[in-house]
Amino acid sequence: KSPPIPSPSETYVSLCYDDPVVKSDAALQKLAKSNSAFPPLCNAFVSGLLQCCDRSQAIATAPESNNNSLYTLGSHANASASGYAELAFVVFLKRPFELVSGGADVRTVRRFLGNYNVVHEEVVVVQEESR
């Protein structure tokens, strides 16, 4: 018997930790398909989802000989790269597009964005002094 699929809110919370743990693609798909139950974005969720996407992509593209060592390092990443990619697509592209194309008001957009703030890294350009 397979373990029960976590609720969308449980999956969301599990992605908010520093070292996110999601056990199945089914949990990610359930979260991606939950329209009304989808919590607002936050920096921890976005960071966790991006971390999982990066890690799962590294595992998926690793050469066969190195695959075991990567699975040892990321053995908790049981969901596949395609599961994380599907959720990332919904969160970063589909939902914002639906809001914009559907004529959502500012309050609706703010509810979706939650307390998420894009962190911009400042790029310092050093210019050589002319001689």
Side-chain angles (χ1 to χ4, degrees), residues 16-75:
C16 291
Y17 292 101
D18 287 337
D19 197 16
V21 176
V22 176
K23 296 292 184 186
S24 72
D25 285 343
L28 294 171
Q29 290 167 349
K30 193 173 181 180
L31 176 57
K33 291 177 183 172
S34 66
N35 290 326
S36 61
F38 198 86
L41 296 183
C42 69
N43 288 348
F45 171 76
V46 171
S47 295
L49 180 55
L50 291 174
Q51 182 181 0
C52 287
C53 288
D54 289 344
R55 182 178 36 218
S56 64
Q57 184 62 31
I59 290 170
T61 59
E64 196 62 36
S65 61
N66 292 336
N67 226 0
N68 289 336
S69 63
L70 282 173
Y71 273 110
T72 302
L73 291 173
S75 59

Side-chain angles (χ1 to χ4, degrees), residues 12 34 39 98 130:
Y12 183 95
S34 66
E98 289 171 349
S130 0

